[in-house]
Amino acid sequence: MNQNLLTDPVFAVDALEGARVMLSLPAVLHRLGTGTPTDFGALQAHQIQSWESFLVQLGALATVADGSRMPASEEGWRRALLTLTAGDDAPWCLVVDDAKKPAFMQPPIAGKDYRGQKDPCIAPDELDMLVTSKNHDVKEARAVRARTEHWVFALVNVQTCDGYPGKLNYGIARMNGGLGSRPSLGATTGLSLGARFNRDLHLWNERRDAIAEAFGLRPRDGHALLWTCPWDGDSSLALADLDPCFIEVCRQIRLGNVSGSVVAWKAPSTTRRVDAEARKGELGDIWIPIKRGDERAAFTSAETGFSYKVVAELLLGEKFDRAPAMELRSDDRGGVLLVARVLVRGQGKTGGLHERVLPIPERARRSVFGAKDQRDAVGRLARERVDDVAKVQNKVLHVALCALLQAAAEGQKLDLTDDRTQRWKRDFDARIDAVFFDALWGDLDLAARDPNGARASWQRRAIGIARDVFREALEAVPLPSVRAYRARAIAERMFEGSARKNFADATTAPVITTTPREESP
């Protein structure tokens, strides 16, 4: 055995003083347990979510193993982690030669020994879940001089967040389908992992019994670290045998030393590691919102990520149950931040790494996290505003852009399927996204006193933003000189007429005028 995470200082951590210190895994957990800000210099952006989730879940399991107490020292954390593995060091070592023993995030080989096969992964990024496109964007096999921590981060990422990348490679249980993603949404009063670690750790442990009862897991003495369980690739673990906070592995992977360098071998599996497909990702994960209705399922992000529409629905809407970590706790003081992260997966591709940090000021806390009637009221307000934005975009901006792009004559029937408007519609949506929540929080008091006035005020703002985008389109779209002035004038009238027709109470802004410019032939 070598590279023991319990004793070897393998993690490079940036200290507050600007210095870098090397820590073992117990030292990392002790540092986080004291609330100390902790940044990992070698951690890549797409690995942050999985690593932080892993540390919180591992910390929660360790405190239960230590009698539901937070260990007070690095040595206390080391003893608690060893308790999870019945005193065996092997599950905490990166490389273990005996295939019948576990290694870190690597289950014992119960079937044919696949080590030694041709073309092993020579770098941890080859092992990772990030899908690249023909080696163009993020290059393959970059980390050829990898340290232990690079392998650790890659192992945790692929084993706890990957889905179905192809035949005989199944994904994790906490995900709705093989092409889904494992999102993470939670409230916090600080952005550092140290600020969130204790909050989320205690939340996992507070919910243990409820999770076990709801999903048929074992509240005590269940399998917690699934890399300690032998796996032949053909069998699955039953939920009834698992701890509510289990940390899973979804791949048969084994690391070894070849000519003094660490390499990784992978083997296919004919079935999922955890028999939970019917749950559609709903297994009590504290960071995952759940879709309501008869077909309950874990939230799966689209490639657009956490737009204002998605966040408004997850935080204030009617279609999803909030993730438990999104709820306010009694010791949360002052303003709150909603942190949302996800690496969107697709069929043979990566759909983007998305992160959003949404400030929820103290004046909005009661409306967002208070009694049901207050939450319902702000939810209705948010939905009205999302609907108004869609109406401005489709009934006003899109129609006027179609008239401009088609250089429509008076009375000519427009082709409203013209997708050339998408460029400006996306720009409009991005500008709305930048102001949506600040405007929502700022109008809460006005909406309570004068709902109609608050809605008209928002409509005017949305129309104003659309008007700015339309002005830019007037300057950008090339038109034949013989029809340019007429086309612009008709498009302007179309914009203002559609705005008055659809938003009679909000259209008080002045009509735009065209500035002459040199025309294209």
Side-chain angles (χ1 to χ4, degrees):
M1 298 185 294
N2 57 26
Q3 294 151 307
N4 188 332
L5 304 187
L6 294 184
T7 56
D8 296 346
V10 300
F11 298 104
V13 172
D14 296 328
L16 286 175
E17 305 78 20
R20 178 163 290 183
V21 295
M22 302 299 295
L23 302 177
S24 65
L25 183 57
V28 166
L29 292 171
H30 176 56
R31 183 182 177 93
L32 293 173
T34 61
T36 305
T38 302
D39 295 317
F40 297 87
L43 193 64
Q44 296 185 70
H46 71 283
Q47 299 170 333
I48 292 174
Q49 175 194 336
S50 62
W51 179 240
E52 293 187 355
S53 298
F54 168 80
L55 290 175
V56 170
Q57 288 179 257
L58 184 62
L61 291 166
T63 56
V64 170
D66 199 38
S68 298
R69 297 183 304 270
M70 182 76 75
S73 65
E74 177 182 341
E75 183 56 35
W77 279 104
R78 184 176 293 110
R79 288 195 300 269
L81 293 178
L82 275 172
T83 300
L84 291 174
T85 56
D88 187 4
D89 273 7
W92 305 107
C93 295
L94 190 66
V95 177
V96 177
D97 291 335
D98 187 348
K100 301 300 181 182
K101 289 186 175 182
F104 180 74
M105 300 301 287
Q106 306 157 61
I109 299 174
K112 182 180 178 181
D113 191 345
Y114 51 85
R115 297 176 303 172
Q117 62 188 5
K118 294 182 179 179
D119 301 321
C121 298
I122 62 170
D125 48 314
E126 276 190 285
L127 190 67
D128 206 344
M129 62 180 281
L130 193 63
V131 179
T132 57
S133 178
K134 296 182 180 179
N135 208 28
H136 287 166
D137 188 7
V138 178
K139 303 300 183 183
E140 300 171 353
R142 295 168 298 145
V144 292
R145 295 182 180 179
R147 301 190 302 270
T148 298
E149 60 182 332
H150 296 112
W151 285 103
V152 169
F153 296 149
L155 279 166
V156 169
N157 203 37
V158 70
Q159 294 286 39
T160 65
C161 281
D162 208 357
Y164 179 79
K167 187 176 180 181
L168 302 180
N169 288 282
Y170 292 91
I172 63 171
R174 295 184 175 102
M175 179 186 292
N176 181 19
L179 300 181
S181 305
R182 185 187 181 188
S184 173
L185 291 94
T188 180
T189 55
L191 287 178
S192 72
L193 175 56
R196 302 195 308 276
F197 178 79
N198 287 283
R199 183 186 194 277
D200 290 351
L201 182 156
H202 290 305
L203 182 57
W204 267 111
N205 286 342
E206 288 168 7
R207 294 182 57 82
R208 285 183 60 85
D209 291 341
I211 294 171
E213 183 177 356
F215 306 110
L217 295 129
R218 184 179 293 183
R220 299 292 182 272
D221 302 321
H223 297 307
L225 311 179
L226 301 197
W227 68 87
T228 62
C229 304
W231 191 17
D232 59 5
D234 299 320
S235 57
S236 299
L237 293 170
L239 287 176
D241 296 326
L242 305 186
D243 185 277
C245 193
F246 68 90
I247 300 175
E248 60 187 308
V249 292
C250 64
R251 295 280 189 279
Q252 289 193 101
I253 297 173
R254 199 73 189 196
L255 272 60
N257 284 308
V258 174
S259 301
S261 298
V262 175
V263 300
W265 292 281
K266 300 185 290 185
S269 58
T270 61
T271 188
R272 294 166 177 79
R273 186 57 178 133
V274 177
D275 184 13
E277 184 179 8
R279 299 300 321 180
K280 297 185 177 181
E282 185 186 14
L283 289 170
D285 190 307
I286 67 167
W287 299 292
I288 300 180
I290 301 297
K291 182 181 178 182
R292 295 173 180 170
D294 296 334
E295 296 291 330
R296 292 178 64 84
F299 164 71
T300 297
S301 175
E303 291 188 14
T304 51
F306 295 109
S307 68
Y308 69 96
K309 290 176 278 192
V310 172
V311 174
E313 183 59 54
L314 294 175
L315 182 63
L316 305 167
E318 299 175 324
K319 296 180 181 178
F320 289 88
D321 290 332
R322 288 181 186 173
M326 295 170 67
E327 299 292 355
L328 204 63
R329 292 176 64 82
S330 59
D331 54 351
D332 292 330
R333 298 286 182 264
V336 177
L337 301 168
L338 176 69
V339 179
R341 290 193 182 107
V342 69
L343 177 64
V344 177
R345 302 181 57 267
Q347 189 165 6
K349 64 179 182 178
T350 299
L353 176 64
H354 301 278
E355 177 177 291
R356 182 164 192 156
V357 178
L358 174 65
I360 303 174
E362 193 164 1
R363 66 177 182 274
R365 282 173 55 127
R366 181 173 297 179
S367 298
V368 176
F369 300 108
K372 186 178 184 302
D373 58 339
Q374 294 172 310
R375 295 167 65 157
D376 289 347
V378 70
R380 286 192 298 271
L381 182 62
R383 287 191 294 276
E384 285 177 353
R385 294 186 169 209
V386 169
D387 291 343
D388 287 339
V389 169
K391 196 172 181 181
V392 170
Q393 186 180 62
N394 296 316
K395 300 290 188 180
V396 180
L397 180 60
H398 175 71
V399 171
L401 287 171
C402 285
L404 178 66
L405 290 163
Q406 296 164 29
E410 198 77 52
Q412 176 182 332
K413 185 175 178 62
L414 295 178
D415 177 13
L416 296 180
T417 64
D418 194 336
D419 63 1
R420 291 178 295 170
T421 67
Q422 292 300 317
R423 165 189 167 184
W424 289 282
K425 289 169 70 174
R426 285 194 297 268
D427 187 13
F428 169 72
D429 218 40
R431 297 187 194 194
I432 290 291
D433 197 302
V435 302
F436 183 87
F437 285 103
D438 284 342
L440 181 66
W441 309 144
D443 286 349
L444 289 177
D445 291 339
L446 177 60
R449 297 192 313 268
D450 181 9
N452 293 332
R455 187 168 189 181
S457 174
W458 170 249
Q459 291 171 349
R460 281 193 295 271
R461 187 166 188 179
I463 292 169
I465 292 172
R467 187 178 282 112
D468 290 341
V469 173
F470 182 61
R471 283 195 181 107
E472 294 173 9
L474 285 173
E475 295 298 317
V477 173
L479 295 168
S481 58
V482 69
R483 300 178 64 183
Y485 287 118
R486 181 182 294 273
R488 289 195 187 103
I490 291 172
E492 290 170 4
R493 289 200 296 272
M494 191 75 73
F495 184 99
E496 299 301 335
S498 298
R500 287 193 296 272
K501 176 182 177 182
N502 291 281
F503 301 97
D505 295 336
T507 48
T508 58
V511 177
I512 55 177
T513 57
T514 304
T515 302
R517 66 180 178 87
E518 183 179 348
E519 305 299 338
S520 58

